[in-house]
Amino acid sequence: MTSFEWINNDLLTGLLSEQHGTSFKRLLGYDVNFATKKGDNYASEMYRVSVRYDIGTVVEKSIILKVMPSGELQQQVMQENSIYAREMVIYNRIMPKIYQLLSSIGDCSIISPLCLSTANTPKQLLVFEDVNEQGFKMVDRRFGLDYDHARLVVVKLAKLHACSRIVHEADPTLFELTMEGCISEDPKKQTFLPYYRRCVGQVVRLVQQWNKEGRWDSILRKLEKLQDKIIPYGCAVYRRREDCFNVLNHNDIWVNNMMFRYGEGVGVKDVLLLDYQLSYYGSPGVDLNFFLYGSLQPKLYHTTLRWTLEELDYGGTIPTLPDIHVEIIRKGFHRVNAVFQQLPVAMMERSEDADMDLILGEGERSEACRRELFDNPRYVSILPALLQEFDLDGYLD
């Protein structure tokens, strides 16, 4: 049974005092619950805290506490990659500058939930507004997004990319923690990487099961070799070219990192992007392959990117639509990463049963866990066509 004892009166009083300053009088009461189901956030633990406090008038609202996960392997990955330090810089220093830029052209868009405060004790944590209170909610990750939902994501992503380019040119030191991707040759950042090879191993196992008549021999041989190549290929995705148009990539842009708001009779009308723990400064092709592949053509992304840069009087070269296509092709191997590593997690049926340390680990229990993950009938039903497409595109060679 999970203990909430560390979320106590002293912690909440300190966080609320940081937010409200001298206006804060006292905490009157609070209640703590999980904000998400187990398995929905593999890189953090989320708590919803309903607070009641006095700032001259009584305020009742919810806040979200986001803390490092408790799993040993997860914590090691987080520490190796400076996950929380990176996210704190993005929310506290980069996003405010992005909002200033958007506001200067009359754009009141909010890209992500507002970070109210941060703390390092008793745990590293970020405190967010609870956007459920504004009507935002998650969608079922198992079924992906339709056009109307994906369109909103593309527009926010393009604005994030455009503004981050300008912020970087003004102060590149802000982006120091985002200059290396999550697949790295750094010997101190290797804990997560065996998972990529293990995912390829699961795909090999599935193809072996289909290959009764030898129809999959060619692809199977390539996949078997890919187990040794996937890390170097992944490193190439995150190798930045300074002569290209680089931006702050969200770098984990999947369904569980989005919340949507709906209007009566008008369908979905807004989206917020969550979690910048893996954000990376480099080719926009990283985000575009991870999210847009199979969802949308990139024309809408380019239109919004170009319009935002033009409105902000950006002095550099604005990429053309063909330039964006080139970046998508140049970073195209990231599609394989998305399908092999992210898609099985997105499609799993019972996230409450998920144990990320078990999924990431080694040994028979971990292998059995991954087999169940990859044997999902919905995943198996779409994998053959994707493998054939990857083969034709040369990504398996």
Side-chain angles (χ1 to χ4, degrees):
M1 185 172 180
T2 301
S3 171
F4 297 138
E5 288 180 1
W6 64 273
I7 304 176
N8 55 33
N9 189 88
D10 289 343
L11 173 68
L12 296 173
T13 295
L15 294 173
L16 292 169
S17 295
E18 180 182 342
Q19 181 186 346
H20 293 285
T22 56
S23 299
F24 179 78
K25 308 299 182 186
R26 64 193 178 104
L27 179 65
L28 302 174
Y30 66 93
D31 184 55
V32 185
N33 290 286
F34 286 113
T36 57
K37 293 184 294 185
K38 182 181 177 183
D40 279 351
N41 291 82
Y42 59 83
S44 61
E45 292 175 1
M46 310 284 285
Y47 301 91
R48 174 171 285 109
V49 186
S50 301
V51 290
R52 186 169 178 267
Y53 58 95
D54 183 358
I55 54 171
T57 58
V58 175
V59 176
E60 295 186 29
K61 68 175 186 178
S62 291
I63 56 176
I64 301 295
L65 304 188
K66 178 178 182 178
V67 305
M68 187 176 289
S70 55
E72 184 178 344
L73 269 178
Q74 291 169 285
Q75 287 190 9
Q76 191 171 343
V77 171
M78 303 296 107
Q79 290 164 356
E80 287 177 357
N81 292 277
S82 303
I83 292 296
Y84 271 77
R86 181 189 324 218
E87 193 163 33
M88 285 179 182
V89 168
I90 290 171
Y91 275 112
N92 290 338
R93 302 188 64 192
I94 295 176
M95 293 305 293
K97 293 181 182 295
I98 286 175
Y99 292 140
Q100 287 173 6
L101 287 172
L102 290 173
S103 179
S104 73
I105 57 173
D107 189 334
C108 59
S109 297
I110 299 297
I111 295 173
S112 302
L114 298 180
C115 182
L116 304 176
S117 59
T118 61
N120 288 311
T121 57
K123 300 186 179 187
Q124 285 186 317
L125 62 88
L126 296 95
V127 184
F128 293 96
E129 60 179 345
D130 184 357
V131 295
N132 276 154
E133 295 183 335
Q134 302 168 31
F136 285 91
K137 58 185 179 180
M138 299 179 75
V139 299
D140 192 327
R141 58 173 168 68
R142 297 173 299 168
F143 303 109
L145 302 176
D146 62 16
Y147 177 84
D148 290 337
H149 288 77
R151 182 183 183 281
L152 291 173
V153 176
V154 169
V155 169
K156 290 285 179 82
L157 199 60
K159 291 179 180 182
L160 170 69
H161 286 180
C163 292
S164 70
R165 172 73 181 192
I166 294 174
V167 174
H168 179 270
E169 291 194 354
D171 189 356
T173 61
L174 289 176
F175 294 79
E176 287 177 354
L177 291 174
T178 71
M179 302 306 280
E180 189 171 35
C182 58
I183 306 177
S184 169
E185 294 166 336
D186 186 339
K188 297 178 181 178
K189 299 180 178 181
Q190 300 294 304
T191 301
F192 187 69
L193 302 192
Y195 179 62
Y196 287 94
R197 297 188 189 95
R198 290 166 183 151
C199 287
V200 180
Q202 289 298 321
V203 175
V204 167
R205 178 182 61 82
L206 290 174
V207 176
Q208 287 171 337
Q209 292 174 2
W210 311 333
N211 196 34
K212 304 302 183 187
E213 299 175 0
R215 290 181 53 239
W216 291 88
D217 279 351
S218 175
I219 286 179
L220 183 58
R221 283 193 297 269
K222 292 178 181 181
L223 286 170
E224 288 168 342
K225 293 179 180 178
L226 188 64
Q227 292 180 86
D228 295 323
K229 297 177 182 178
I230 193 164
I231 302 305
Y233 286 2
C235 287
V237 168
Y238 289 107
R239 199 166 291 130
R240 185 173 42 259
R241 277 180 47 182
E242 299 302 337
D243 61 333
C244 291
F245 185 83
N246 295 310
V247 300
L248 182 68
N249 285 269
H250 182 283
N251 200 30
D252 197 14
I253 191 76
W254 71 296
V255 177
N256 268 22
N257 284 337
M258 308 163 192
M259 295 182 74
F260 295 90
R261 181 164 61 187
Y262 302 82
E264 284 189 34
V266 297
V268 62
K269 65 177 186 177
D270 199 7
V271 64
L272 294 175
L273 308 182
L274 319 176
D275 290 351
Y276 291 84
Q277 296 171 320
L278 301 177
S279 292
Y280 162 72
Y281 191 80
S283 167
V286 173
D287 270 349
L288 296 178
N289 277 291
F290 202 76
F291 174 66
L292 294 182
Y293 177 64
S295 300
L296 276 179
Q297 295 299 314
K299 185 175 181 180
L300 174 62
Y301 167 86
H302 176 259
T303 300
T304 307
L305 180 83
R306 183 187 63 202
W307 180 88
T308 305
L309 290 168
E310 287 174 349
E311 288 295 303
L312 290 168
D313 297 321
Y314 174 61
T317 301
I318 297 176
T320 63
L321 181 57
D323 290 335
I324 296 299
H325 279 284
V326 167
E327 288 304 302
I328 292 173
I329 294 168
R330 198 167 67 85
K331 299 300 182 181
F333 186 77
H334 209 38
R335 304 176 193 180
V336 179
N337 286 335
V339 170
F340 286 12
Q341 182 257 332
Q342 185 68 68
L343 199 57
V345 174
M347 288 184 161
M348 67 177 166
E349 291 293 337
R350 301 185 306 279
S351 67
E352 63 273 12
D353 295 336
D355 182 324
M356 289 310 300
D357 261 23
L358 198 58
I359 291 173
L360 297 175
E362 55 186 343
E364 182 49 40
R365 286 186 65 226
S366 288
E367 276 299 304
C369 182
R370 285 190 288 271
R371 282 197 296 271
E372 182 179 358
L373 193 65
F374 279 77
D375 283 343
N376 183 329
R378 265 206 311 277
Y379 181 71
V380 172
S381 71
I382 65 170
L383 185 59
L386 290 170
L387 287 174
Q388 290 171 325
E389 184 171 336
F390 292 159
D391 186 37
L392 290 173
D393 289 340
Y395 295 132
L396 303 182
D397 293 327

